[in-house]
mmCIF file of all heavy atoms in Angstrom:
data_model
loop_
_atom_site.group_PDB
_atom_site.id
_atom_site.type_symbol
_atom_site.label_atom_id
_atom_site.label_comp_id
_atom_site.label_asym_id
_atom_site.label_seq_id
_atom_site.Cartn_x
_atom_site.Cartn_y
_atom_site.Cartn_z
ATOM 1 N N PRO A 1 3.222 13.950 -11.760
ATOM 2 C CA PRO A 1 3.606 14.903 -10.714
ATOM 3 C C PRO A 1 2.580 14.879 -9.583
ATOM 4 O O PRO A 1 1.403 14.628 -9.816
ATOM 5 C CB PRO A 1 3.601 16.259 -11.421
ATOM 6 C CG PRO A 1 2.873 16.057 -12.694
ATOM 7 C CD PRO A 1 2.856 14.593 -12.998
ATOM 8 N N ASP A 2 3.050 15.128 -8.348
ATOM 9 C CA ASP A 2 2.137 15.078 -7.217
ATOM 10 C C ASP A 2 2.686 15.889 -6.057
ATOM 11 O O ASP A 2 3.877 15.873 -5.796
ATOM 12 C CB ASP A 2 1.938 13.627 -6.776
ATOM 13 C CG ASP A 2 0.800 13.459 -5.791
ATOM 14 O OD1 ASP A 2 -0.216 14.153 -5.938
ATOM 15 O OD2 ASP A 2 0.934 12.646 -4.881
ATOM 16 N N LYS A 3 1.830 16.586 -5.361
ATOM 17 C CA LYS A 3 2.195 17.342 -4.154
ATOM 18 C C LYS A 3 1.207 16.976 -3.061
ATOM 19 O O LYS A 3 0.002 16.975 -3.275
ATOM 20 C CB LYS A 3 2.115 18.849 -4.412
ATOM 21 C CG LYS A 3 3.031 19.352 -5.484
ATOM 22 C CD LYS A 3 4.408 19.527 -4.936
ATOM 23 C CE LYS A 3 5.302 20.120 -6.016
ATOM 24 N NZ LYS A 3 6.657 20.185 -5.679
ATOM 25 N N ARG A 4 1.712 16.652 -1.867
ATOM 26 C CA ARG A 4 0.847 16.368 -0.723
ATOM 27 C C ARG A 4 1.649 16.465 0.567
ATOM 28 O O ARG A 4 2.864 16.550 0.540
ATOM 29 C CB ARG A 4 0.193 14.995 -0.863
ATOM 30 C CG ARG A 4 1.192 13.846 -0.929
ATOM 31 C CD ARG A 4 0.505 12.525 -1.042
ATOM 32 N NE ARG A 4 0.541 12.122 -2.434
ATOM 33 C CZ ARG A 4 0.087 11.000 -2.873
ATOM 34 N NH1 ARG A 4 -0.444 10.139 -2.060
ATOM 35 N NH2 ARG A 4 0.157 10.682 -4.137
ATOM 36 N N GLU A 5 0.966 16.429 1.697
ATOM 37 C CA GLU A 5 1.637 16.479 3.000
ATOM 38 C C GLU A 5 2.522 15.249 3.139
ATOM 39 O O GLU A 5 2.118 14.143 2.800
ATOM 40 C CB GLU A 5 0.586 16.501 4.104
ATOM 41 C CG GLU A 5 1.182 16.631 5.475
ATOM 42 C CD GLU A 5 0.121 16.663 6.560
ATOM 43 O OE1 GLU A 5 -1.072 16.745 6.253
ATOM 44 O OE2 GLU A 5 0.530 16.588 7.728
ATOM 45 N N THR A 6 3.716 15.433 3.665
ATOM 46 C CA THR A 6 4.660 14.318 3.762
ATOM 47 C C THR A 6 5.361 14.286 5.118
ATOM 48 O O THR A 6 5.309 15.238 5.891
ATOM 49 C CB THR A 6 5.746 14.415 2.667
ATOM 50 O OG1 THR A 6 6.478 15.623 2.844
ATOM 51 C CG2 THR A 6 5.140 14.373 1.277
ATOM 52 N N GLU A 7 6.036 13.187 5.364
ATOM 53 C CA GLU A 7 6.889 13.003 6.539
ATOM 54 C C GLU A 7 8.183 12.374 6.046
ATOM 55 O O GLU A 7 8.168 11.535 5.143
ATOM 56 C CB GLU A 7 6.201 12.059 7.523
ATOM 57 C CG GLU A 7 7.008 11.797 8.770
ATOM 58 C CD GLU A 7 6.277 10.881 9.736
ATOM 59 O OE1 GLU A 7 5.044 10.981 9.838
ATOM 60 O OE2 GLU A 7 6.955 10.065 10.380
ATOM 61 N N ASN A 8 9.310 12.759 6.617
ATOM 62 C CA ASN A 8 10.598 12.223 6.195
ATOM 63 C C ASN A 8 10.813 10.807 6.716
ATOM 64 O O ASN A 8 10.543 10.510 7.884
ATOM 65 C CB ASN A 8 11.747 13.105 6.690
ATOM 66 C CG ASN A 8 11.843 14.395 5.929
ATOM 67 O OD1 ASN A 8 11.446 14.483 4.784
ATOM 68 N ND2 ASN A 8 12.375 15.417 6.579
ATOM 69 N N LYS A 9 11.301 9.945 5.839
ATOM 70 C CA LYS A 9 11.757 8.598 6.177
ATOM 71 C C LYS A 9 13.076 8.398 5.433
ATOM 72 O O LYS A 9 13.230 8.859 4.305
ATOM 73 C CB LYS A 9 10.771 7.524 5.709
ATOM 74 C CG LYS A 9 9.443 7.558 6.420
ATOM 75 C CD LYS A 9 9.582 7.064 7.832
ATOM 76 C CE LYS A 9 8.245 7.062 8.536
ATOM 77 N NZ LYS A 9 8.356 6.708 9.924
ATOM 78 N N THR A 10 14.012 7.722 6.038
ATOM 79 C CA THR A 10 15.291 7.474 5.387
ATOM 80 C C THR A 10 15.376 6.012 4.981
ATOM 81 O O THR A 10 15.176 5.122 5.810
ATOM 82 C CB THR A 10 16.457 7.816 6.342
ATOM 83 O OG1 THR A 10 16.333 9.181 6.724
ATOM 84 C CG2 THR A 10 17.787 7.580 5.682
ATOM 85 N N ILE A 11 15.638 5.784 3.700
ATOM 86 C CA ILE A 11 15.826 4.422 3.206
ATOM 87 C C ILE A 11 17.070 4.396 2.323
ATOM 88 O O ILE A 11 17.501 5.430 1.815
ATOM 89 C CB ILE A 11 14.602 3.904 2.421
ATOM 90 C CG1 ILE A 11 14.303 4.797 1.231
ATOM 91 C CG2 ILE A 11 13.390 3.797 3.322
ATOM 92 C CD1 ILE A 11 13.214 4.264 0.338
ATOM 93 N N ARG A 12 17.648 3.230 2.163
ATOM 94 C CA ARG A 12 18.844 3.087 1.335
ATOM 95 C C ARG A 12 18.480 2.356 0.049
ATOM 96 O O ARG A 12 17.773 1.356 0.085
ATOM 97 C CB ARG A 12 19.921 2.317 2.080
ATOM 98 C CG ARG A 12 20.398 3.045 3.310
ATOM 99 C CD ARG A 12 21.479 2.236 4.026
ATOM 100 N NE ARG A 12 21.827 2.844 5.284
ATOM 101 C CZ ARG A 12 22.728 3.805 5.425
ATOM 102 N NH1 ARG A 12 23.375 4.261 4.375
ATOM 103 N NH2 ARG A 12 22.995 4.305 6.605
ATOM 104 N N PHE A 13 18.978 2.876 -1.070
ATOM 105 C CA PHE A 13 18.759 2.275 -2.380
ATOM 106 C C PHE A 13 20.089 1.816 -2.954
ATOM 107 O O PHE A 13 21.099 2.511 -2.792
ATOM 108 C CB PHE A 13 18.175 3.302 -3.356
ATOM 109 C CG PHE A 13 16.741 3.625 -3.125
ATOM 110 C CD1 PHE A 13 16.370 4.588 -2.211
ATOM 111 C CD2 PHE A 13 15.753 2.980 -3.850
ATOM 112 C CE1 PHE A 13 15.036 4.904 -2.006
ATOM 113 C CE2 PHE A 13 14.420 3.286 -3.657
ATOM 114 C CZ PHE A 13 14.057 4.246 -2.730
ATOM 115 N N PRO A 14 20.105 0.713 -3.666
ATOM 116 C CA PRO A 14 21.325 0.346 -4.391
ATOM 117 C C PRO A 14 21.606 1.417 -5.457
ATOM 118 O O PRO A 14 20.670 1.913 -6.108
ATOM 119 C CB PRO A 14 20.975 -0.992 -5.046
ATOM 120 C CG PRO A 14 19.770 -1.490 -4.308
ATOM 121 C CD PRO A 14 19.053 -0.284 -3.800
ATOM 122 N N VAL A 15 22.871 1.777 -5.628
ATOM 123 C CA VAL A 15 23.246 2.831 -6.572
ATOM 124 C C VAL A 15 22.734 2.546 -7.986
ATOM 125 O O VAL A 15 22.202 3.456 -8.637
ATOM 126 C CB VAL A 15 24.777 3.074 -6.545
ATOM 127 C CG1 VAL A 15 25.204 4.026 -7.647
ATOM 128 C CG2 VAL A 15 25.193 3.611 -5.181
ATOM 129 N N PRO A 16 22.839 1.313 -8.493
ATOM 130 C CA PRO A 16 22.317 1.079 -9.851
ATOM 131 C C PRO A 16 20.811 1.362 -9.970
ATOM 132 O O PRO A 16 20.353 1.869 -10.997
ATOM 133 C CB PRO A 16 22.615 -0.404 -10.108
ATOM 134 C CG PRO A 16 23.762 -0.722 -9.207
ATOM 135 C CD PRO A 16 23.534 0.119 -7.983
ATOM 136 N N LEU A 17 20.053 1.085 -8.915
ATOM 137 C CA LEU A 17 18.623 1.362 -8.937
ATOM 138 C C LEU A 17 18.373 2.867 -8.944
ATOM 139 O O LEU A 17 17.502 3.361 -9.670
ATOM 140 C CB LEU A 17 17.929 0.711 -7.741
ATOM 141 C CG LEU A 17 16.418 0.922 -7.641
ATOM 142 C CD1 LEU A 17 15.702 0.411 -8.893
ATOM 143 C CD2 LEU A 17 15.877 0.226 -6.397
ATOM 144 N N ILE A 18 19.135 3.615 -8.164
ATOM 145 C CA ILE A 18 19.024 5.071 -8.164
ATOM 146 C C ILE A 18 19.268 5.605 -9.574
ATOM 147 O O ILE A 18 18.519 6.451 -10.075
ATOM 148 C CB ILE A 18 20.016 5.709 -7.171
ATOM 149 C CG1 ILE A 18 19.597 5.395 -5.739
ATOM 150 C CG2 ILE A 18 20.127 7.221 -7.389
ATOM 151 C CD1 ILE A 18 20.620 5.800 -4.694
ATOM 152 N N ASN A 19 20.304 5.099 -10.220
ATOM 153 C CA ASN A 19 20.628 5.553 -11.569
ATOM 154 C C ASN A 19 19.497 5.252 -12.553
ATOM 155 O O ASN A 19 19.159 6.085 -13.394
ATOM 156 C CB ASN A 19 21.936 4.916 -12.053
ATOM 157 C CG ASN A 19 23.126 5.387 -11.239
ATOM 158 O OD1 ASN A 19 23.104 6.458 -10.633
ATOM 159 N ND2 ASN A 19 24.173 4.582 -11.215
ATOM 160 N N GLU A 20 18.892 4.077 -12.440
ATOM 161 C CA GLU A 20 17.772 3.720 -13.321
ATOM 162 C C GLU A 20 16.567 4.619 -13.086
ATOM 163 O O GLU A 20 15.918 5.067 -14.030
ATOM 164 C CB GLU A 20 17.358 2.265 -13.099
ATOM 165 C CG GLU A 20 18.279 1.252 -13.716
ATOM 166 C CD GLU A 20 17.703 -0.146 -13.597
ATOM 167 O OE1 GLU A 20 16.648 -0.426 -14.197
ATOM 168 O OE2 GLU A 20 18.325 -0.948 -12.872
ATOM 169 N N ILE A 21 16.265 4.872 -11.827
ATOM 170 C CA ILE A 21 15.122 5.727 -11.490
ATOM 171 C C ILE A 21 15.355 7.141 -12.001
ATOM 172 O O ILE A 21 14.480 7.737 -12.638
ATOM 173 C CB ILE A 21 14.855 5.728 -9.972
ATOM 174 C CG1 ILE A 21 14.377 4.344 -9.524
ATOM 175 C CG2 ILE A 21 13.837 6.805 -9.593
ATOM 176 C CD1 ILE A 21 14.340 4.157 -8.013
ATOM 177 N N GLU A 22 16.534 7.687 -11.747
ATOM 178 C CA GLU A 22 16.830 9.046 -12.198
ATOM 179 C C GLU A 22 16.762 9.163 -13.718
ATOM 180 O O GLU A 22 16.266 10.160 -14.248
ATOM 181 C CB GLU A 22 18.181 9.501 -11.654
ATOM 182 C CG GLU A 22 18.120 9.767 -10.155
ATOM 183 C CD GLU A 22 19.446 10.128 -9.536
ATOM 184 O OE1 GLU A 22 20.515 9.857 -10.150
ATOM 185 O OE2 GLU A 22 19.433 10.674 -8.416
ATOM 186 N N ALA A 23 17.217 8.138 -14.429
ATOM 187 C CA ALA A 23 17.123 8.150 -15.888
ATOM 188 C C ALA A 23 15.662 8.132 -16.342
ATOM 189 O O ALA A 23 15.279 8.835 -17.277
ATOM 190 C CB ALA A 23 17.886 6.955 -16.476
ATOM 191 N N ALA A 24 14.818 7.344 -15.661
ATOM 192 C CA ALA A 24 13.397 7.262 -16.005
ATOM 193 C C ALA A 24 12.675 8.569 -15.719
ATOM 194 O O ALA A 24 11.685 8.895 -16.387
ATOM 195 C CB ALA A 24 12.738 6.118 -15.237
ATOM 196 N N LEU A 25 13.166 9.348 -14.762
ATOM 197 C CA LEU A 25 12.505 10.583 -14.357
ATOM 198 C C LEU A 25 12.881 11.788 -15.214
ATOM 199 O O LEU A 25 12.216 12.818 -15.135
ATOM 200 C CB LEU A 25 12.824 10.895 -12.892
ATOM 201 C CG LEU A 25 12.240 9.924 -11.871
ATOM 202 C CD1 LEU A 25 12.714 10.281 -10.478
ATOM 203 C CD2 LEU A 25 10.730 9.905 -11.947
ATOM 204 N N GLU A 26 13.913 11.657 -16.039
ATOM 205 C CA GLU A 26 14.348 12.793 -16.860
ATOM 206 C C GLU A 26 13.185 13.324 -17.684
ATOM 207 O O GLU A 26 12.500 12.579 -18.374
ATOM 208 C CB GLU A 26 15.503 12.383 -17.771
ATOM 209 C CG GLU A 26 16.806 12.242 -17.037
ATOM 210 C CD GLU A 26 17.965 11.891 -17.952
ATOM 211 O OE1 GLU A 26 17.896 12.167 -19.163
ATOM 212 O OE2 GLU A 26 18.942 11.310 -17.443
ATOM 213 N N GLY A 27 12.946 14.626 -17.565
ATOM 214 C CA GLY A 27 11.914 15.284 -18.337
ATOM 215 C C GLY A 27 10.492 15.080 -17.838
ATOM 216 O O GLY A 27 9.545 15.493 -18.494
#
């Protein structure tokens, strides 16, 4: 976990990669 000052950037991810990342982040 991490909190710090940020700036918004928009990037596009392939849907399968999003699904893999979200699964890895569970819990």
Side-chain angles (χ1 to χ4, degrees):
D2 191 37
K3 299 279 183 187
R4 61 179 100 177
E5 183 179 351
T6 61
E7 180 179 324
N8 287 333
K9 294 288 182 185
T10 302
I11 59 174
R12 296 180 187 274
F13 286 85
V15 172
L17 180 58
I18 291 171
N19 294 336
E20 284 187 65
I21 293 169
E22 288 176 342
L25 293 176
E26 285 182 23

